[in-house]
């Protein structure tokens, strides 16, 4: 579909990538990865035609279309949400205009017997038929499905786009791209402004999409669900992995280990050859041999090892002072903005050391609830902050509260007290601010840098309750992982709003779901929450609870349905046993193929083989064949695990 041939781009004399080539095929789901500044967004801009490369070419198959969503947009539309979204139907809108004009002409002309009138009727008929065939009368219905999937309500459809924040306007642009149905979709950080519900809807949409997809994202779970291929940009080169992000991490680590081993063996070979050259070059009888060794070294391709990206924030939260057993207790909490009810009669209790996640659609009151706890807004009902509870608050727009005229050092030094003040430079260094950087003014920092600085301020005081609203915004995957580990080891309580499932998994042990003006508790992790409720999207949760209310709370098993339950349980247990047997066989096969791959990798690390191109090519062919078999087994292993999970959920429901 799309061919990239010897593409090169440089800035200030340094190549982002140099003469890179690869193909994009139909149904490819590609995740672009690489360290910050590697050129991921630049490559998307080149593929979309927004930016020109220094050299090389991008060839798109004739007639194919490309849709591109940038990280930031400058939309100034005053149209309603629905009207703006329906602009996606370019050809249909053009056809509708033609049909309207022809209908007007038919109604006003009186030369019914003329050839021109007859031809007009034929054109009108053809245009109307094409309009129907293309689904012209379903445009608003299709737009409605996508807009609701991305988090809009029907009440939003008639509102002007200018009433919405940049994040919501970004959703409108995304909706337009999805409705245009281009052959290739390019998405740069599409989940930045989406909640969990909308992310899961987008996942399902993209999984079934007919065309190719290339995306940049720091959401690991999203990448794993959507992509089947990962392209890494590193040191001006690209590395193509036919797998999702998690498997890419494993394979890229193995590739680097292989490079290091091969480089080490090659270096030994070079040193040994140089010793022979020095030994024999002075002897007349061996001079020709020494010269042949010199030529061999000159022809040798020196193995380079890619630098590993180790820049990530590194810190631990200060030990939390001991508080009372209950740090937060809310009873009958209600919040409204004028006539708009956000939530009503909310009951929440958080104990010392507990880590709680607030999830749900944007606009359901998660951030508002944190503001109430942080005394940023008023409320109705009862709220008690526990004895000796000392909280720290990180808002979504925390970076905006920083003084833009202060330097980074002043921002931290002005608020640091006691021993912390002696270590301001060290503290800033752990958040990747060092050297002359700390003398920069806040106003020149990027969004990600401001977020890191705001997080750094949280370490200036030993809180025992952290209120965190989307703290991972603008953080790369390494930095998110460091923040997650710091929160896991933190001994205080945490109330956290986040749409990043991978970040929440293993971090929180209780969930409060905000939706339909109410808040529902769930004990467990985010994935347990989704699995237990047997849903693919959070939007199905409330409907399922209503449908199953009697079954869950009031249902009494009669002899008849008890027998049916027992039969179902036995069938499910039998299925699970059979699937587990298949899983064990698959795991054994995976181990065998991994052993074969390791043997081949070891051969490639042998100096004698490295000098024999024929052997090297043969080993690479064997590697490719074994890797393809291994990838197929890994896919089978993943599918079996999914099937087992579903059966176990069904069994759990049957047992209840």
């Amino acid at each position: 579909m799309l061919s990239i041939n010897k593409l090169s781009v440089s800035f200030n004399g340094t190549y982002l990538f140099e003469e890179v080539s690869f193909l994009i095929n139909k149904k490819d789901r590609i995740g672009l990865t690489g360290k910050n500044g590697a050129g991921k967004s630049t490559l998307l801009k080149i593929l979309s035609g927004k930016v020109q490369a220094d050299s090389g070419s991008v060839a798109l198959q004739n007639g194919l279309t490309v849709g591109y969503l940038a990280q930031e947009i400058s939309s100034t539309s005053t149209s309603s949400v629905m009207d703006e979204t329906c602009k996606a139907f370019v050809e249909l809108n053009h056809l509708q205009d033609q049909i309207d004009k022809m209908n007007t002409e038919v109604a006003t002309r009186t030369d019914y017997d003329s050839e021109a009138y007859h031809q007009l009727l034929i054109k009108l008929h053809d245009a109307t038929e094409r309009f129907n065939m293309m689904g012209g009368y379903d445009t608003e219905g299709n737009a409605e499905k996508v807009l609701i999937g991305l988090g809009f309500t029907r009440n939003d459809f008639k509102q002007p786009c200018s009433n919405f924040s940049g994040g919501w306007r970004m959703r409108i642009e995304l909706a337009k791209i999805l409705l245009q149905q281009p052959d290739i979709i390019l998405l740069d950080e599409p989940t930045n402004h989406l909640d969990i519900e909308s992310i899961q809807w987008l996942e399902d949409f993209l999984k079934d999409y007919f065309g190719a997809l290339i995306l940049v994202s720091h959401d690991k779970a999203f990448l794993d669900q959507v992509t089947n291929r990962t392209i890494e940009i590193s040191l001006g080169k690209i590395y193509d992995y036919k797998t999702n992000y998690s498997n890419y991490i494993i394979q890229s680590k193995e590739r680097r280990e292989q490079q290091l081993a091969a480089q080490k063996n090659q270096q030994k070979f070079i040193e040994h050859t140089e010793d022979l050259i020095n030994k024999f070059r002075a002897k007349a009888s061996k001079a020709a041999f020494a010269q042949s060794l010199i030529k061999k070294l000159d022809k040798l391709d020196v193995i380079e090892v890619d630098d590993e990206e180790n820049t990530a924030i590194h810190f631990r939260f200060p030990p939390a002072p001991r508080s009372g057993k209950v740090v937060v207790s809310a009873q009958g909490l209600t919040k409204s903005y004028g006539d708009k009810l956000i939530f009503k009669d909310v009951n929440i209790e958080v104990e010392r050391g507990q880590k709680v996640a607030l999830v749900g659609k944007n606009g359901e009151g998660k951030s508002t609830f944190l503001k109430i706890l942080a005394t940023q807004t008023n409320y109705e009902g009862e709220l008690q902050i526990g004895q000796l509870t000392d909280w720290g608050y990180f808002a979504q727009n925390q970076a905006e509260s920083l003084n833009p005229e202060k330097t980074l050092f002043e921002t931290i030094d002005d608020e640091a007290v006691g021993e912390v003040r002696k270590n301001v430079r060290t503290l800033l260094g752990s958040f990747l601010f060092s050297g002359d950087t700390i003398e920069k003014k806040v106003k020149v920092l990027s969004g990600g840098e401001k977020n890191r600085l705001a997080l750094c301020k949280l370490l200036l005081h030993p809180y025992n309750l952290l209120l965190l609203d989307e703290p991972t915004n603008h953080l790369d995957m390494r930095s998110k992982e460091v923040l997650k580990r710091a929160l896991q080891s933190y001994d205080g309580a945490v109330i956290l709003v986040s749409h990043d499932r991978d970040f929440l998994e293993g971090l929180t042990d209780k969930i409060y779901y905000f939706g339909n003006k109410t808040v529902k508790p769930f004990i467990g992790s985010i994935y347990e929450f989704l699995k237990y409720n047997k849903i693919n999207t959070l939007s199905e949760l409330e409907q399922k609870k209503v449908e199953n209310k009697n079954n869950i709370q009031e249902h009494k098993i009669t002899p008849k349905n008890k027998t049916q339950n027992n039969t179902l349980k036995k069938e499910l247990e039998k299925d699970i046993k059979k699937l587990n047997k298949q899983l064990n066989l698959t795991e054994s096969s995976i181990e065998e193929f991994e052993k074969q791959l390791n043997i081949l990798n070891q051969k490639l690390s042998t100096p004698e083989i490295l000098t024999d191109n024929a052997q090297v090519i043969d080993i690479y062919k064997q590697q490719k064949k074994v890797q393809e078999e291994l990838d197929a087994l890994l896919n089978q292993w993943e599918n079996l695990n999914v099937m087992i999970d579903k059966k176990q959920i069904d069994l759990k429901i049957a047992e209840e």
Side-chain angles (χ1 to χ4, degrees):
M1 295 179 74
L2 188 64
S3 172
I4 292 86
N5 185 39
K6 293 187 177 182
L7 209 64
S8 296
V9 173
S10 63
F11 287 106
N12 299 322
T14 303
Y15 278 101
L16 280 179
F17 31 85
E18 184 176 9
E19 294 196 345
V20 301
S21 300
F22 59 96
L23 294 173
I24 298 167
N25 303 303
K26 190 174 183 179
K27 295 296 286 185
D28 271 349
R29 303 285 188 270
I30 300 172
L32 282 183
T33 187
K35 67 181 183 180
N36 290 338
K40 303 184 294 294
S41 295
T42 300
L43 182 56
L44 286 188
K45 289 175 183 176
I46 291 171
L47 299 183
S48 70
K50 304 292 183 184
V51 170
Q52 293 296 315
D54 296 342
S55 61
S57 63
V58 176
L60 182 67
Q61 192 176 329
N62 285 341
L64 296 187
T65 54
V66 177
Y68 169 59
L69 181 74
Q71 273 195 48
E72 297 179 358
I73 60 170
S74 55
S75 173
T76 56
S77 174
T78 56
S79 302
S80 71
V81 170
M82 179 57 77
D83 288 346
E84 181 64 26
T85 304
C86 285
K87 289 179 181 178
F89 305 109
V90 177
E91 186 175 352
L92 281 171
N93 292 335
H94 179 64
L95 265 177
Q96 183 66 67
D97 289 342
Q98 287 183 320
I99 290 169
D100 290 343
K101 288 177 182 177
M102 285 188 284
N103 276 324
T104 301
E105 192 174 350
V106 166
T108 55
R109 287 178 62 163
T110 57
D111 55 334
Y112 308 122
D113 296 326
S114 70
E115 180 64 22
Y117 188 83
H118 179 65
Q119 289 299 320
L120 176 62
L121 291 177
I122 292 174
K123 286 181 180 180
L124 177 59
H125 175 269
D126 290 345
T128 304
E129 284 292 306
R130 180 165 176 75
F131 187 79
N132 290 333
M133 184 181 68
M134 293 178 64
Y137 294 107
D138 298 326
T139 53
E140 286 205 5
N142 293 331
E144 180 177 320
K145 290 176 186 176
V146 173
L147 287 171
I148 288 176
L150 291 175
F152 289 92
T153 65
R154 288 180 175 84
N155 292 332
D156 295 329
F157 293 168
K158 293 183 179 180
Q159 299 293 319
C161 295
S162 54
N163 283 7
F164 292 86
S165 66
W168 285 97
R169 290 199 295 271
M170 186 74 75
R171 295 190 193 205
I172 296 170
E173 291 304 308
L174 176 57
K176 288 164 66 176
I177 290 170
L178 299 182
L179 289 166
Q180 285 165 1
Q181 297 187 334
D183 299 289
I184 302 174
I185 296 179
L186 311 175
L187 302 177
D188 197 350
E189 295 288 1
T191 64
N192 270 0
H193 304 286
L194 301 181
D195 48 55
I196 293 178
E197 188 171 350
S198 300
I199 290 172
Q200 289 189 307
W201 179 89
L202 182 60
E203 280 177 5
D204 291 336
F205 185 97
L206 295 176
K207 283 178 190 175
D208 297 330
Y209 193 69
F210 71 90
L213 168 69
I214 308 174
L215 65 92
V216 175
S217 177
H218 286 151
D219 188 326
K220 181 182 174 184
F222 182 71
L223 285 170
D224 280 345
Q225 286 293 319
V226 173
T227 62
N228 56 20
R229 183 178 168 192
T230 304
I231 292 180
E232 177 190 14
I233 303 175
S234 177
L235 296 177
K237 296 180 285 187
I238 66 161
Y239 298 92
D240 199 342
Y241 298 83
K242 303 299 189 291
T243 187
N244 65 14
Y245 184 81
S246 289
N247 288 329
Y248 145 74
I249 291 294
I250 297 169
Q251 292 180 23
S252 65
K253 184 179 179 182
E254 291 173 351
R255 173 179 61 81
R256 193 169 187 279
E257 289 171 352
Q258 291 168 14
Q259 284 181 326
L260 286 168
Q263 185 189 55
K264 186 177 179 181
N265 287 327
Q266 188 186 65
Q267 192 59 38
K268 287 180 181 178
F269 171 76
I270 292 171
E271 290 172 0
H272 177 66
T273 304
E274 287 175 341
D275 287 342
L276 290 176
I277 292 169
N278 293 331
K279 182 178 180 181
F280 295 125
R281 75 192 325 168
K283 296 181 180 180
S285 61
K286 299 288 185 179
F289 177 61
Q291 285 300 317
S292 69
L293 291 177
I294 291 171
K295 289 178 181 178
K296 183 180 285 189
L297 280 186
D298 289 341
K299 293 178 180 179
L300 192 66
D301 288 330
V302 178
I303 297 172
E304 294 182 357
V305 179
D306 301 322
D307 290 334
E308 192 171 20
E309 173 60 22
N310 291 315
T311 52
I313 57 176
H314 180 71
F315 70 97
R316 291 176 66 90
F317 287 100
R322 190 168 180 82
S323 64
K325 182 180 179 182
V326 176
V327 294
V328 170
S329 178
Q331 299 292 326
L333 212 64
T334 299
K335 175 62 183 177
S336 299
Y337 287 108
D339 294 332
K340 185 177 181 181
L341 178 66
I342 306 301
F343 49 71
K344 184 179 181 181
D345 294 332
V346 171
N347 300 317
I348 288 181
E349 185 172 281
V350 180
E351 297 183 354
R352 179 178 60 239
Q354 196 171 35
K355 295 178 175 63
V356 173
L358 311 182
V359 302
K361 290 178 65 175
N362 288 346
E364 292 289 350
K366 305 183 300 294
S367 297
T368 300
F369 182 76
L370 285 190
K371 287 180 181 178
I372 289 172
L373 298 184
T375 68
Q376 301 274 315
T377 186
N378 55 13
Y379 59 91
E380 296 176 13
E382 295 183 13
L383 174 64
Q384 291 184 342
I385 303 298
Q387 189 177 14
L388 301 178
T389 298
D390 189 7
W391 48 263
Y393 175 50
F394 182 93
Q396 270 195 53
N397 60 346
Q398 191 69 30
E400 296 175 12
S401 67
L402 300 171
N403 187 333
E405 297 303 323
K406 284 187 177 182
T407 66
L408 278 70
F409 183 84
E410 290 169 344
T411 299
I412 302 301
D413 187 57
D414 289 353
E415 295 191 31
V417 294
E419 291 296 315
V420 177
R421 191 163 191 183
K422 299 176 184 178
N423 300 301
V424 171
R425 291 179 183 273
T426 303
L427 184 60
L428 283 165
S430 69
F431 282 83
L432 309 184
F433 300 120
S434 57
D436 295 339
T437 305
I438 66 174
E439 299 304 328
K440 285 183 178 179
K441 288 193 174 184
V442 170
K443 64 183 178 183
V444 303
L445 299 181
S446 67
E449 289 171 327
K450 288 177 182 177
N451 245 33
R452 295 206 310 267
L453 186 62
L455 275 172
C456 183
K457 286 184 69 176
L458 275 182
L459 273 66
L460 298 178
H461 184 85
Y463 300 110
N464 50 32
L465 170 62
L466 294 177
L467 310 173
L468 306 177
D469 195 356
E470 298 287 6
T472 62
N473 278 355
H474 306 294
L475 294 185
D476 60 32
M477 289 193 188
R478 287 175 179 268
S479 297
K480 282 198 288 188
E481 188 59 34
V482 173
L483 175 59
K484 180 176 177 177
R485 289 199 298 268
L487 288 171
Q488 285 173 326
S489 61
Y490 172 63
D491 54 354
V494 178
I495 304 178
L496 166 71
V497 174
S498 177
H499 64 254
D500 192 318
R501 290 156 295 170
D502 186 68
F503 182 73
L504 291 175
E505 179 65 14
L507 173 59
T508 58
D509 45 31
K510 189 173 184 180
I511 289 169
Y512 284 99
Y513 174 67
F514 283 65
N516 296 326
K517 318 302 180 189
T518 62
V519 178
K520 305 287 185 181
F522 178 86
I523 306 298
S525 70
I526 185 67
Y527 285 115
E528 287 171 339
F529 170 70
L530 296 174
K531 286 179 182 178
Y532 180 79
N533 289 284
K534 203 180 179 184
I535 55 176
N536 293 317
T537 60
L538 288 172
S539 61
E540 296 170 17
L541 177 60
E542 291 305 317
Q543 180 182 351
K544 184 181 186 306
K545 284 190 174 179
V546 170
E547 291 172 351
N548 294 333
K549 183 176 180 182
N550 292 332
N551 293 334
I552 295 171
Q553 296 179 354
E554 302 170 1
H555 181 60
K556 295 180 180 179
I557 298 176
T558 63
K560 183 180 177 181
N561 59 36
K562 184 174 183 179
T563 301
Q564 291 173 341
N565 273 7
N566 288 335
T567 303
L568 178 61
K569 281 164 59 179
K570 287 179 181 178
E571 289 177 357
L572 289 169
E573 288 168 350
K574 184 179 178 181
D575 290 344
I576 291 170
K577 186 176 180 180
K578 184 178 178 181
L579 288 169
N580 275 317
K581 186 177 180 180
Q582 293 177 8
L583 186 67
N584 291 332
L585 290 172
T586 303
E587 288 175 347
S588 298
S589 299
I590 288 171
E591 288 178 6
E592 288 301 317
F593 277 97
E594 285 178 337
K595 286 178 184 177
Q596 292 181 37
L597 205 57
N598 285 332
I599 291 169
L600 292 170
N601 290 337
Q602 288 171 8
K603 286 183 179 180
L604 277 178
S605 302
T606 306
E608 292 80 5
I609 290 177
L610 285 170
T611 59
D612 188 338
N613 287 336
Q615 281 197 64
V616 170
I617 291 170
D618 184 56
I619 292 171
Y620 274 129
K621 287 180 179 178
Q622 293 179 54
Q623 267 188 330
K624 183 180 179 182
K625 186 176 180 181
V626 172
Q627 187 64 60
E628 286 174 353
E629 295 284 352
L630 183 57
D631 288 342
L633 285 167
L634 287 169
N635 285 331
Q636 182 178 329
W637 182 86
E638 289 177 6
N639 291 334
L640 285 169
N641 273 293
V642 170
M643 292 167 68
I644 290 169
D645 282 344
K646 289 180 178 178
K647 294 287 184 184
Q648 286 174 337
I649 292 168
D650 290 338
L651 180 60
K652 187 173 183 180
I653 292 170
E655 288 172 343
E656 293 174 350

